[in-house]
């Protein structure tokens, strides 16, 4: 066999071995669905206003869900795992709030937000099951967490029913209209966007 072909065969064999390697966290359904959320969010954000605060928050929060599932699964005690799964849970609620903010800015359709919230609903249900698990299993059972019950027909998460949350979203919508009229300066507009978005996200995450 020619040397070049021999090296090609070794390279192919090495690549197949690499592809066969699988880390423990990759067996978790929660991790796989969280990756779907990252990909979905990235697709939705491509056409959004570049400087919008909710856009950056959504991307970071979606990636935080994935990162902290990996971190939690690497811990050896139930208490440590639960603490970090809580961070993923909070990031999931933050993502849901970001979708509402994007709708308030009218850069995302409500139907698209429902698709994103359905993914987040699945993630939250799994995280609750993983947090409650006492064992150190690397793969959760589907029956362990079941289907997360809806708060009501219009809401996925409890914070969506809070009057303060709805008022904060109305404030974001008002701010968006004000910023679009350019009656305030660019730097002030960015600050108003960041702070009004922060109010909504903190209510959602704090309520969780």
């Amino acid at each position: 066999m020619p040397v070049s072909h021999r090296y090609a065969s070794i390279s192919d064999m090495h690549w197949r071995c690499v592809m066969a390697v699988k880390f423990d966290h990759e067996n978790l359904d929660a991790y796989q669905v969280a990756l779907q959320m990252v990909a979905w969010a990235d697709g939705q954000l491509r056409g959004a206003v570049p400087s919008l605060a909710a856009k950056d928050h959504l991307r970071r929060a979606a990636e935080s869900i994935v990162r902290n599932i990996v971190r939690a699964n690497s811990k050896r005690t139930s208490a440590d795992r639960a603490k970090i799964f809580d961070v993923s849970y909070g990031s999931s609620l933050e993502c849901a709030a970001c979708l509402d903010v994007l709708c308030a800015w009218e850069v995302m359709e409500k139907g698209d937000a429902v698709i994103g919230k359905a993914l987040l609903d699945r993630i939250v249900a799994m995280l609750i099951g993983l947090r409650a698990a006492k064992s150190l299993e690397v793969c959760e059972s589907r029956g362990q967490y079941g289907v997360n019950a809806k708060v009501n027909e219009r809401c996925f998460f409890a914070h969506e029913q809070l009057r303060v949350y709805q008022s904060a979203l109305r404030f974001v919508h008002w701010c968006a209209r004000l910023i679009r009229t350019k009656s305030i300066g660019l730097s002030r507009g960015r600050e108003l966007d960041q702070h009004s978005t922060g109010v909504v996200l903190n209510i959602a995450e704090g309520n969780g």
Side-chain angles (χ1 to χ4, degrees):
M1 179 186 293
V3 174
S4 60
H5 289 177
R6 190 183 309 144
Y7 282 130
S9 298
I10 292 172
S11 178
D12 290 344
M13 186 182 299
H14 174 71
W15 178 247
R16 284 196 294 271
C17 290
V18 169
M19 292 299 290
V21 172
K22 202 171 187 180
F23 293 99
D24 290 345
H25 61 262
E26 294 180 80
N27 293 315
L28 294 172
D29 290 334
Y31 177 77
Q32 297 300 331
V33 179
L35 286 178
Q36 291 177 35
M37 181 63 200
V38 171
W40 180 87
D42 182 66
Q44 292 291 315
L45 293 176
R46 286 175 188 171
V49 180
S51 60
L52 206 58
K55 176 179 178 178
D56 294 332
H57 278 292
L58 178 57
R59 181 172 281 115
R60 288 199 302 268
E63 292 174 356
S64 171
I65 298 172
V66 175
R67 265 196 322 273
N68 285 294
I69 288 173
V70 175
R71 286 182 59 223
N73 200 60
S74 70
K75 299 301 180 183
R76 306 312 303 166
T77 68
S78 296
D80 287 340
R81 286 159 60 89
K83 186 183 298 183
I84 303 175
F85 278 133
D86 275 348
V87 179
S88 278
Y89 177 76
S91 295
S92 301
L93 298 182
E94 186 177 345
C95 282
C98 285
L99 299 182
D100 286 335
V101 171
L102 290 170
C103 287
W105 267 88
E106 299 178 351
V107 298
M108 179 178 285
E109 298 291 335
K110 289 186 177 180
D112 291 331
V114 168
I115 294 172
K117 286 183 181 182
L119 276 174
L120 291 166
D121 189 49
R122 289 176 61 194
I123 294 168
V124 165
M126 296 175 194
L127 289 173
I128 290 172
L130 286 167
R131 190 191 184 286
K134 300 298 182 185
S135 67
L136 295 176
E137 294 177 355
V138 298
C139 184
E140 78 276 32
S141 165
R142 289 184 181 274
Q144 185 176 7
Y145 46 77
V147 177
N148 193 24
K150 301 293 186 291
V151 177
N152 59 41
E153 292 181 355
R154 294 179 301 171
C155 298
F156 280 90
F157 306 103
H159 65 259
E160 295 178 87
Q161 291 194 119
L162 296 174
R163 283 184 293 176
V164 65
Y165 182 77
Q166 293 300 327
S167 296
L169 282 177
R170 286 194 294 271
F171 179 64
V172 169
H173 182 67
W174 180 85
C175 290
R177 293 176 61 185
L178 178 66
I179 294 168
R180 284 197 180 107
T181 63
K182 299 181 180 178
S183 56
I184 60 176
L186 180 62
S187 61
R188 289 292 176 84
R190 286 177 177 171
E191 287 182 9
L192 188 57
D193 170 33
Q194 290 173 357
H195 294 309
S196 60
T197 297
V199 172
V200 175
L201 303 191
N202 286 326
I203 292 171
E205 190 172 4
N207 193 63

